[in-house]
C-alpha cells in the first residue's frame, strides 16, 4: 500500500513509465525521443559506505537515439541539500552507465516547483563548470483534467492531475472525472491508482469525497483501505458516503432524503444511490430511477 504523497508522486511513474515520456513531451514541451522499452533500475547510488544516496525512482528508457536514465524525484518542499545531491546523481549515473541522465522533479506545491526549476550552477560565478537544469512537473504545468472524456483518453495522466490538483474548488470535478475513467481500465490497475490519489489528497474534504466515491464503486474491497469501511459496517458507511458526496458537491439534502438514505439496509441500493450522487443535480435525483 502507498503510505505517503511523497511515495505516490514518484511511484506512479513506476506503474506507468510511458506517462513520464508523455509528461516530458506534452507538458514540458521537451523533444524527448519515443522510447520502445523501459526498465526499472536500482535506486541506490551509494558509492562510499558511510554515505547513502538514493533517488526516488530510476528508469532506463531505450530509444532509437540511445538509452536515457530518467531520474524522478518527489519534492514536498525546498531542500537546499538537493542542490548538491542532484548534480551528484546525474554525474554518478552517467559515469556508471554511460547513458544520458534526465532529472524530473514532481511536486504538488507551486513555490516548491519554482524553487526546483532554478538552474544549479557549480563553479565560478557567471562561468560555471557544471549546470543542472531540472525539469519540473507541478500544479502550474500539469493539466487540470476535469472532464470524464478527457480522463478516459489518458487515465494515468488524469491520476497525475488528481494527485497534483486535488484541492480547492476544482477538486470535485477532477475526482469525479477520474472516478468515471477508472471504470474503463482493469480493476487491479485502478486499485493501485486509487491508492496513489488517496495518499496525495491533503485536503480532508477532498479525501473524504474520494473515499466515498471509491467505496461506492468498490475499488477498496480487496485492498487495505477497505478495512476502515468494513470496521464501521458497509451499510452504514455507504449511507454516509451518499450523503457526504451530495454535501461536498454543494447539494442541499432535505430531511426526507436523509431519512430515506439512513434507513436503507440494502447494500446494492446504496451503491446505486452513491453512484447517482456523483452526477445528481438535486438530492431527489437519487431516487429518480427507483
Amino acid at each position: 500500500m502507498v503510505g505517503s504523497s511523497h511515495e505516490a508522486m514518484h511511484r506512479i511513474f513506476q506503474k506507468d513509465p510511458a506517462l513520464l515520456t508523455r509528461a516530458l513531451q506534452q507538458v514540458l514541451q521537451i523533444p524527448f525521443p519515443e522510447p520502445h522499452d523501459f526498465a526499472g533500475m536500482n535506486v541506490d547510488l551509494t558509492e562510499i559506505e558511510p554515505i547513502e544516496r538514493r533517488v526516488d525512482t530510476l528508469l532506463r528508457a531505450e530509444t532509437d537515439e540511445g538509452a536515457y536514465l530518467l531520474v524522478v524525484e518527489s519534492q514536498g518542499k525546498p531542500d537546499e541539500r538537493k542542490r548538491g545531491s542532484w548534480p551528484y546523481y546525474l554525474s554518478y549515473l552517467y559515469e556508471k552507465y554511460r547513458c544520458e541522465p534526465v532529472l524530473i522533479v514532481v511536486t504538488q506545491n507551486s513555490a516548491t516547483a519554482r524553487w526546483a526549476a532554478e538552474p544549479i550552477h557549480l563553479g565560478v560565478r557567471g562561468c560555471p563548470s557544471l549546470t543542472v537544469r531540472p525539469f519540473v512537473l507541478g500544479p502550474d504545468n500539469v493539466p487540470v483534467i476535469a472532464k470524464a472524456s478527457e480522463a478516459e483518453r489518458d487515465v494515468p495522466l488524469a491520476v497525475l492531475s488528481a494527485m497534483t490538483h486535488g484541492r480547492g474548488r476544482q477538486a470535485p470535478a477532477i475526482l469525479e472525472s477520474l472516478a468515471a475513467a477508472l471504470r474503463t481500465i482493469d480493476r487491479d490497475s485502478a486499485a493501485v491508482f486509487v491508492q496513489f490519489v488517496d495518499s496525495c489528497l491533503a485536503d480532508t474534504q477532498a479525501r473524504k469525497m474520494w473515499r466515498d466515491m471509491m467505496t461506492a464503486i468498490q475499488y477498496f474491497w480487496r485492498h487495505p483501505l477497505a478495512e476502515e469501511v468494513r470496521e464501521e459496517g458497509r451499510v452504514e458507511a455507504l449511507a454516509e458516503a451518499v450523503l457526504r458526496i451530495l454535501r461536498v458537491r454543494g447539494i442541499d439534502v432535505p430531511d426526507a432524503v436523509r431519512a430515506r438514505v439512513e434507513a436503507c439496509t440494502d447494500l446494492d441500493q446504496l451503491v446505486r444511490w452513491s453512484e447517482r450522487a456523483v452526477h445528481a443535480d438535486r438530492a431527489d435525483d437519487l431516487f429518480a430511477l427507483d
Side-chain angles (χ1 to χ4, degrees):
M1 179 180 174
V2 180
S4 68
S5 61
H6 173 93
E7 191 177 2
M9 289 297 288
H10 69 86
R11 278 186 57 188
I12 185 175
F13 299 110
Q14 297 176 17
K15 171 64 179 171
D16 189 330
L19 172 63
L20 192 55
T21 301
R22 296 197 297 279
L24 288 170
Q25 295 171 340
Q26 300 170 21
V27 178
L28 299 178
Q29 302 296 307
I30 295 168
F32 191 82
E34 194 66 36
H36 47 72
D37 189 31
F38 286 99
M41 300 184 68
N42 190 341
V43 298
D44 192 343
L45 307 187
T46 303
E47 183 71 13
I48 301 174
E49 190 67 26
I51 302 176
E52 182 177 344
R53 299 183 187 272
R54 293 176 182 269
V55 298
D56 288 332
T57 286
L58 180 60
L59 299 169
R60 182 185 178 107
E62 300 289 346
T63 79
D64 291 339
E65 298 178 11
Y68 287 83
L69 300 178
L70 304 177
V71 182
V72 184
E73 285 280 278
S74 174
Q75 198 67 29
K77 60 183 179 180
D79 181 354
E80 288 305 314
R81 292 175 299 178
K82 296 294 186 178
R83 316 298 284 182
S85 58
W86 286 343
Y88 169 85
Y89 294 164
L90 301 184
S91 298
Y92 175 86
L93 289 168
Y94 181 77
E95 176 63 21
K96 182 173 183 177
Y97 295 105
R98 291 296 166 175
C99 296
E100 298 295 340
V102 180
L103 174 62
I104 302 100
V105 180
V106 190
T107 182
Q108 295 174 285
N109 183 276
S110 293
T112 301
R114 290 191 293 272
W115 166 83
E118 294 176 2
I120 301 169
H121 301 294
L122 301 180
V124 178
R125 183 171 299 179
C127 189
S129 297
L130 176 66
T131 296
V132 173
R133 292 183 172 85
F135 299 134
V136 182
L137 295 169
D140 296 330
N141 56 15
V142 172
V144 173
I145 299 179
K147 294 182 179 180
S149 58
E150 295 179 6
E152 290 173 10
R153 282 197 294 271
D154 193 336
V155 175
L157 185 59
V159 173
L160 183 61
S161 176
M163 292 163 62
T164 307
H165 300 287
R167 63 179 65 191
R169 291 179 298 176
Q170 299 180 105
I174 293 171
L175 297 178
E176 289 168 17
S177 299
L178 178 57
L182 289 175
R183 297 172 181 272
T184 67
I185 64 175
D186 69 276
R187 188 180 182 88
D188 289 337
S189 293
V192 173
F193 288 145
V194 165
Q195 293 185 50
F196 286 160
V197 174
D198 187 87
S199 298
C200 290
L201 292 175
D203 182 85
T204 302
Q205 194 173 39
R207 176 176 281 191
K208 285 182 178 179
M209 178 184 180
W210 179 245
R211 290 191 171 191
D212 289 342
M213 289 191 293
M214 293 302 99
T215 298
I217 54 181
Q218 303 182 63
Y219 280 128
F220 283 170
W221 296 138
R222 299 190 313 182
H223 292 269
L225 288 173
E227 296 304 321
E228 298 177 22
V229 177
R230 290 195 185 100
E231 290 172 5
E232 297 176 1
R234 293 185 181 183
V235 169
E236 292 83 354
L238 270 174
E240 177 57 29
V242 172
L243 300 173
R244 190 181 299 135
I245 290 172
L246 293 173
R247 288 198 302 270
V248 170
R249 297 187 61 230
I251 296 175
D252 182 60
V253 181
D255 290 342
V257 172
R258 177 183 300 277
R260 182 172 174 181
V261 171
E262 291 179 343
C264 182
T265 59
D266 184 335
L267 185 63
D268 291 336
Q269 180 67 75
L270 287 167
V271 169
R272 287 192 292 271
W273 286 348
S274 60
E275 292 172 347
R276 294 173 193 169
V278 174
H279 304 289
D281 295 321
R282 300 178 302 116
D284 288 339
D285 290 347
L286 294 181
F287 319 124
L289 301 177
D290 295 340

